[in-house]
């Protein structure tokens, strides 16, 4: 009996304390509310397909509007870069990875599906860069696809090359890859020598 | 039993050997390069020794450094794994000269079988049929032209010291020969330190089937059946299974017999694999080469036969007789393995080095994942990009495929591109599930895949796909909002810090009072 009374008194005390001081989570909720009570407007490009997105987050609850589709979502932050989104009883585990630092797009995996997502915030005018096209029809840049070592340069500056001609051999992970010209033209610039170490994205040769 | 074994390798195979050592209560010793300081094999071992900078030529291929490490720590034996020095007879000899045990065959057997040209000679003398071609390394491009014209195109250029598809080129016409010859030679020189290449006739629509053999120091030879490794890209295996979908007991017995003949001819000891090309139509088989080491794909044989090949290697190296006879070997069910590479299947399998941000390894009934990495690991540009081998077992091939499909869908690797999406498609491909395999499977699969993608594009994306895409956008937006919030709170940090420090000071004073009062 005595024990029971004690428990009750503790409970009352707890309630009183709670009334006087809101718990930490409540304060955090308020923080979210103040910062994000308004819908944020963004433009999302998913594998090149544009969507207008309006989104509002209030702790675990997310309301979003995409091209007229309305979603009410329970959102959980599992870990840095992993979100669990529950919509109408369907669970979507979304994992974010920086797909390409140069292109400022994200690779988002939803289950076993992967998408490239580029976000634009019109308010900040911070346009995500368009994925760089390597060839604009008149000039073609041959870009190192990954970090590696140049084994051989097979052409000279000014050389006339056919489409598909081997230009440079780059070795990475013990495999030699022959970098071919995407078009017929003249080699206008060679930026590397045999033996050079290159980074992914470096322009090796330019064909015009 | 050995007390201590040094493992002259890295990655998943080093981890696999460490596990066998643990089973036998042997202390495993790792060696590592500067790039591998915090890798899994180092952390799982009892001792670890740095043997040099990241490039393998300065570390994992440095014979004297590895032997010095073994001597210094008092290891009694060295396991070479596969790749690196595993098929280097000079290394095996140096191990013996240091009065240590080499877990593998004798240097003589390695020399004879290691160079593909002498292996072909040995096999022919032992009465095993080989594919038409040269038995000597080619001296020059002119000689290559002459031999190729003699046996007829298409031909295959191969590195004498090779393996794993490096220094290997398919040549369809004479025009392609000069460039292929140069590339094969320089690739062979870079990968194996030996530029020698040879030439043989390319068998069309061949199946690549290999026989696992085992021999002890007492002259006992057994075979553990076949593995079908027809699914290859760039002449490198990506999916292996045991048994072959052909699953013909008579063919298995005759191939096993031929494999043992070849192994016996070089007084082979330990685990070895004899590779054959099998004509899908006639079921004729040709000796291709012998791998004088443990194979990457050994788990599928283990799953189906129940033997632990690494454990058996260790006891054979100790001089014990084989723990089983030919009549004890039986094949139960079916196992399939996928090699998970850090490569982008959408960009022609280009290596995708980088840091693994997220990792969820599959588990559950009859699934085995032999991995060499954990979340946070860096896949470096210096080594083979294979990060794990995923295998599944079933009573039938179709049950094994069901489990493999489930495990592949469960497997999540974030931060780098992997071949997982490619495998998820293959296990759903009708030609694969029907078992219609040959070495041209991948290129035909890619054609089907391109057609399927076109069909998909013309159709409207369904509702589930639309929702998934929306969720991807929402997740990206939530991440962006979080970053924004962090930035805005970041600006207040200074003011907050001052405020906090007052609290902290008062709190600390109060704490001290409580402690000392």
């Amino acid at each position: 009996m005595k024990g029971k009374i004690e428990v009750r008194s503790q409970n009352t005390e707890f309630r009183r304390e709670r009334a006087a001081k809101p718990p930490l989570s409540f304060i955090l909720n308020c923080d979210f509310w103040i910062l994000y009570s308004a819908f944020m407007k963004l433009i999302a490009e998913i594998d090149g397909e544009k969507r207008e997105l309006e989104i509002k987050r209030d702790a675990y609850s997310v309301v979003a509007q995409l091209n007229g589709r309305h979603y009410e979502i329970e959102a959980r932050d599992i870990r840095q870069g992993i979100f669990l989104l529950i919509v109408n009883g369907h669970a979507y585990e979304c994992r974010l990875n920086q797909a390409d630092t140069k292109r400022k797009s994200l690779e988002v995996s939803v289950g076993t599906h992967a998408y490239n997502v580029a976000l634009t915030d019109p308010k900040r005018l911070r346009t995500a860069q368009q994925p760089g096209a390597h060839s604009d029809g008149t000039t073609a840049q041959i870009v190192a696809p990954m970090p590696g070592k140049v084994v051989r340069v097979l052409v000279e500056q000014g050389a006339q090359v056919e489409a598909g001609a081997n230009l440079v051999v780059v070795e990475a992970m013990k495999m030699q890859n022959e970098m071919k010209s995407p078009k017929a033209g003249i080699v206008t610039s060679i930026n590397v020598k045999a033996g050079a170490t290159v980074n992914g994205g470096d322009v090796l040769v330019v064909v015009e | 039993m050995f007390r201590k074994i040094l493992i002259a390798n890295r990655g998943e195979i080093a981890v696999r050997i460490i596990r066998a050592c643990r089973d036998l209560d042997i202390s495993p010793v790792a060696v590592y390069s500067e790039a591998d300081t915090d890798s899994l094999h180092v952390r799982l071992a009892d001792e670890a020794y740095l043997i040099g900078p990241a490039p393998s030529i300065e570390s994992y291929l440095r014979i004297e450094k590895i032997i010095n490490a073994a001597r210094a720590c008092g290891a009694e034996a060295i396991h070479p794994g596969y790749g690196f020095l595993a098929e280097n007879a000079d290394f095996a000899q140096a191990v013996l000269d240091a009065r240590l045990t080499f877990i593998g065959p004798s240097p003589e057997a390695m020399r004879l079988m290691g160079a593909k040209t002498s292996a072909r000679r040995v096999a022919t003398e032992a009465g095993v049929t080989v594919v038409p071609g040269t038995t000597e390394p080619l001296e020059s491009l002119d000689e290559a032209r002459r031999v190729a014209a003699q046996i007829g195109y298409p031909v295959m250029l191969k590195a004498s010291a090779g393996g794993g598809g490096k220094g290997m080129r398919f040549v369809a016409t004479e025009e392609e020969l000069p460039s292929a010859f140069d590339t094969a030679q320089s690739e062979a020189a870079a990968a194996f330190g030996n530029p020698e290449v040879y030439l043989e006739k390319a068998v069309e629509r061949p199946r690549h089937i290999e026989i696992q053999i085992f021999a002890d120091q007492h002259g006992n030879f057994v075979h553990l059946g076949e593995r079908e490794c027809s699914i290859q890209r760039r002449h490198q295996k990506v999916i292996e299974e045991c048994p072959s979908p052909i699953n013909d007991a008579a063919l298995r017995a005759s191939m096993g017999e031929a494999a043992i003949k070849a192994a016996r001819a070089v007084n082979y000891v330990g685990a070895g694999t004899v590779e054959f090309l099998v004509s899908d139509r006639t079921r004729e088989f040709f000796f291709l080469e012998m791998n004088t080491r443990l194979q990457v794909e050994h788990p599928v044989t283990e799953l189906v036969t129940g033997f632990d090949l690494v454990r058996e290697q260790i006891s054979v190296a100790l001089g014990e007789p084989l723990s089983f006879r030919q009549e004890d070997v039986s094949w139960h069910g079916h196992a399939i393995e996928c090699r998970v590479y850090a490569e982008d299947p959408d960009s022609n399998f280009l290596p995708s080095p980088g840091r693994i941000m997220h990792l969820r390894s599959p588990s559950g009934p009859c699934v085995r994942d032999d991995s060499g990495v954990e979340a946070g690991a860096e896949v470096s540009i210096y080594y083979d990009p294979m990060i794990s081998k995923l295998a599944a077992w079933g009573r039938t091939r179709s049950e094994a495929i069901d489990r493999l499909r489930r495990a592949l869908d469960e497997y999540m690797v974030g931060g780098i591109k992997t071949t997982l999406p490619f495998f998820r498609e293959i296990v759903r491909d009708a030609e694969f599930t029907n078992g219609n395999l040959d070495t041209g499977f991948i290129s035909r699969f890619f054609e089907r895949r391109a057609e399927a993608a076109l069909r998909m594009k013309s159709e409207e994306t369904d509702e589930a796909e639309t929702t998934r895409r929306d969720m991807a956008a929402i997740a990206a937006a939530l991440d962006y909002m979080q970053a924004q919030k962090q930035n805005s709170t970041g600006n207040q940090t200074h003011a907050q810090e001052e405020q906090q420090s007052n609290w902290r000071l008062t709190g600390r004073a109060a704490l001290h009072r409580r402690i000392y009062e």
Side-chain angles (χ1 to χ4, degrees):
Chain A
M1 268 316 241
K2 205 184 162 196
K4 205 177 178 185
I5 291 163
E6 265 185 18
V7 167
R8 196 184 294 158
S9 77
Q10 271 179 359
N11 253 347
T12 331
E13 210 171 315
F14 175 64
R15 264 196 216 113
R16 204 176 298 140
E17 195 183 38
R18 197 171 157 173
K21 269 195 285 179
L24 189 63
S25 64
F26 186 66
I27 299 171
L28 281 179
N29 287 358
C30 285
D31 191 24
F32 264 113
W33 183 252
I34 293 156
L35 283 168
Y36 299 114
S37 57
F39 276 96
M40 182 179 249
K41 285 184 185 173
L42 295 166
I43 294 164
E45 209 173 305
I46 303 151
D47 289 347
E49 201 181 278
K50 270 201 180 126
R51 281 163 159 78
E52 279 176 31
L53 168 63
E54 282 177 70
I55 186 165
K56 184 173 90 173
R57 178 168 190 175
D58 180 7
Y60 295 141
S61 146
V62 170
V63 179
Q65 208 75 265
L66 274 112
N67 285 9
R69 291 183 293 276
H70 181 84
Y71 294 101
E72 285 179 21
I73 304 163
E74 164 144 2
R76 301 275 170 161
D77 306 70
I78 304 296
R79 258 203 323 276
Q80 177 75 43
I82 305 185
F83 294 92
L84 176 65
L85 307 179
I86 303 171
V87 196
N88 296 331
H90 288 274
Y92 299 89
E93 191 186 47
C94 306
R95 297 176 311 282
L96 277 61
N97 289 299
Q98 196 76 40
D100 185 340
T101 43
K102 288 201 178 81
R103 293 177 190 175
K104 291 202 172 133
S105 72
L106 284 170
E107 190 197 73
V108 183
S109 301
V110 184
T112 57
H113 300 257
Y115 307 98
N116 270 304
V117 181
L119 285 180
T120 314
D121 186 346
K123 238 168 144 184
R124 303 210 152 212
L125 292 169
R126 197 167 67 182
T127 318
Q129 282 173 21
Q130 296 290 322
H134 297 314
S135 171
D136 61 7
T138 56
T139 60
Q141 295 187 337
I142 288 75
V143 175
M146 64 201 147
K149 206 181 95 185
V150 176
V151 183
R152 269 194 307 274
V153 179
L154 302 166
V155 288
E156 280 169 18
Q157 188 145 348
Q160 175 80 42
V161 291
E162 294 299 312
N166 292 329
L167 304 174
V168 183
V169 182
V170 180
E171 183 183 283
M173 288 173 158
K174 302 274 170 263
M175 292 299 292
Q176 296 196 352
N177 296 287
E178 290 161 349
M179 308 296 297
K180 293 176 174 21
S181 177
K183 63 188 280 287
I186 289 161
V187 178
T188 55
S189 128
I190 298 173
N191 303 337
V192 289
K193 282 192 184 131
T197 308
V198 291
N199 291 315
D202 286 0
V203 177
L204 307 174
V205 179
V206 180
V207 178
E208 277 181 26
Chain B
M1 191 43 78
F2 297 117
R3 284 188 320 277
K4 202 182 265 191
I5 292 177
L6 182 135
I7 299 147
N9 217 303
R10 64 179 301 282
E12 72 80 23
I13 193 60
V15 172
R16 165 73 186 90
I17 298 163
I18 288 171
R19 287 180 174 142
C21 287
R22 296 286 182 209
D23 288 352
L24 291 164
D25 210 13
I26 296 168
S27 173
V29 180
V31 290
Y32 63 98
S33 73
E34 281 163 13
D36 279 338
T37 309
D38 49 4
S39 66
L40 187 61
H41 79 281
V42 172
R43 285 180 286 145
L44 288 176
D46 282 345
E47 293 171 57
Y49 296 95
L50 178 66
I51 49 166
S56 46
I57 195 97
E58 294 172 50
S59 50
Y60 295 105
L61 293 172
R62 289 293 290 271
I63 294 175
E64 77 286 357
K65 284 194 179 177
I66 291 167
I67 288 177
N68 287 346
R71 275 200 179 127
C73 72
E76 300 136 294
I78 295 182
H79 196 306
Y82 56 71
F84 296 127
L85 296 169
E87 287 175 285
N88 185 319
D90 294 340
F91 177 59
Q93 189 60 55
V95 173
L96 299 183
D97 292 346
R99 270 181 261 148
L100 301 169
T101 303
F102 180 75
I103 301 176
S106 67
E108 296 76 48
M110 287 167 83
R111 277 203 185 93
L112 284 169
M113 284 304 186
K116 291 181 188 179
T117 47
S118 65
R120 288 168 56 95
R121 207 167 42 230
V122 169
T124 313
E125 280 164 16
V128 182
T129 319
V130 301
V131 183
T134 51
T135 46
E136 297 304 325
L138 296 163
E139 298 278 323
S140 63
L141 177 60
D142 284 339
E143 194 191 342
R145 272 213 185 88
R146 196 167 42 76
V147 177
Q150 214 170 41
I151 60 175
Y153 288 91
V155 294
M156 196 66 97
L157 275 168
K158 294 182 176 183
S160 295
K166 280 146 198 162
M168 203 174 195
R169 282 288 181 280
F170 178 82
V171 188
T173 61
E174 193 174 342
E175 286 73 59
E176 288 177 27
L177 192 64
S179 143
F181 187 74
D182 275 358
T183 310
Q185 271 194 337
S186 79
E187 222 174 80
F192 315 107
N194 177 357
E196 286 178 358
V197 293
Y198 69 99
L199 219 161
E200 64 186 28
K201 178 138 185 83
V203 176
E204 289 181 78
R205 271 196 87 122
R207 297 177 87 113
H208 183 120
I209 299 180
E210 60 189 28
I211 299 285
Q212 175 72 53
I213 64 113
F214 232 109
D216 62 19
Q217 298 177 17
H218 310 283
N220 298 310
F221 285 81
V222 294
H223 75 85
L224 294 171
E226 81 279 19
R227 288 184 290 259
E228 167 125 23
C229 314
S230 293
I231 302 190
Q232 308 186 349
R233 58 104 183 70
R234 292 179 182 157
H235 309 292
Q236 196 162 23
K237 300 159 192 170
V238 288
I239 296 181
E240 301 100 350
E241 48 190 291
C242 175
S244 159
I246 297 175
N247 206 0
D248 177 343
L251 183 64
R252 178 178 305 130
S254 60
M255 287 179 77
E257 204 180 302
I260 288 175
K261 251 194 232 167
R264 220 185 259 284
V266 295
N267 296 317
Y268 199 83
V269 170
T273 296
V274 182
E275 297 190 344
F276 294 96
L277 278 185
V278 179
S279 160
D280 195 30
R281 200 167 48 83
T282 63
R283 297 283 149 89
E284 284 175 295
F285 55 88
F286 304 98
F287 173 90
L288 214 50
E289 59 177 297
M290 179 167 186
N291 298 308
T292 58
R293 54 165 155 88
L294 186 70
Q295 293 278 85
V296 175
E297 58 274 22
H298 75 277
V300 289
T301 299
E302 294 187 325
L303 286 168
V304 171
T305 61
F307 296 115
D308 181 332
L309 298 192
V310 181
R311 187 188 177 111
E312 201 68 27
Q313 276 189 306
I314 294 171
S315 66
V316 161
L318 203 61
E320 285 176 21
L322 285 173
S323 68
F324 53 89
R325 289 160 303 172
Q326 188 64 60
E327 52 269 35
D328 300 327
V329 182
S330 62
W331 294 271
H332 180 54
H334 201 102
I336 308 178
E337 175 187 273
C338 297
R339 297 191 189 185
V340 183
Y341 284 97
E343 291 179 344
D344 185 356
D346 289 329
S347 313
N348 201 20
F349 293 100
L350 276 177
S352 168
R355 190 169 294 280
I356 297 175
M357 303 306 287
H358 315 307
L359 181 67
R360 178 186 292 148
S361 304
S363 181
C366 307
V367 166
R368 169 174 171 177
D369 183 43
D370 281 72
S371 168
V373 294
E374 287 183 322
E378 182 87 27
V379 179
S380 83
I381 62 161
Y382 296 102
Y383 313 110
D384 189 89
M386 193 179 78
I387 57 169
S388 106
K389 301 178 311 204
L390 174 64
W393 181 90
R395 288 169 301 168
T396 59
R397 188 169 186 267
S398 98
E399 195 176 70
I401 292 172
D402 290 345
R403 286 179 173 142
L404 187 61
R405 193 181 58 232
R406 175 247 299 169
L408 285 166
D409 287 356
E410 202 173 304
Y411 214 143
M412 301 291 167
V413 183
I416 54 168
K417 300 270 188 190
T418 69
T419 44
L420 284 168
F422 169 72
F423 290 132
R424 289 182 190 126
E425 289 178 41
I426 285 191
V427 293
R428 290 170 168 87
D429 181 74
E431 211 179 302
F432 175 75
T433 52
N434 292 335
N436 298 336
L437 311 179
D438 65 71
T439 52
F441 177 90
I442 294 272
S443 52
R444 289 199 305 276
F445 172 75
F446 271 120
E447 280 165 29
R448 287 199 291 282
R449 195 170 170 242
E451 284 166 23
L454 274 178
R455 268 203 309 279
M456 286 272 281
K457 254 193 186 151
S458 65
E459 288 166 20
E460 275 271 67
T461 44
D462 64 356
E463 205 186 310
E465 174 67 12
T466 307
T467 314
R468 259 197 310 272
R469 283 169 175 253
D470 286 352
M471 291 306 131
I474 289 166
L478 291 175
D479 187 62
Y480 176 69
M481 286 157 80
Q482 262 179 3
Q484 293 277 294
K485 191 187 165 233
Q486 267 157 21
N487 284 346
S488 66
T489 49
N491 296 338
Q492 304 167 6
T493 316
H494 194 64
Q496 268 178 356
E497 245 168 26
E498 255 181 5
Q499 228 178 359
Q500 260 176 13
S501 63
N502 282 337
W503 279 104
R504 201 178 290 158
L505 282 172
T506 322
R508 196 169 289 163
L511 193 72
H512 279 245
R513 267 204 303 282
R514 205 176 299 163
I515 291 167
Y516 296 113
E517 263 169 22

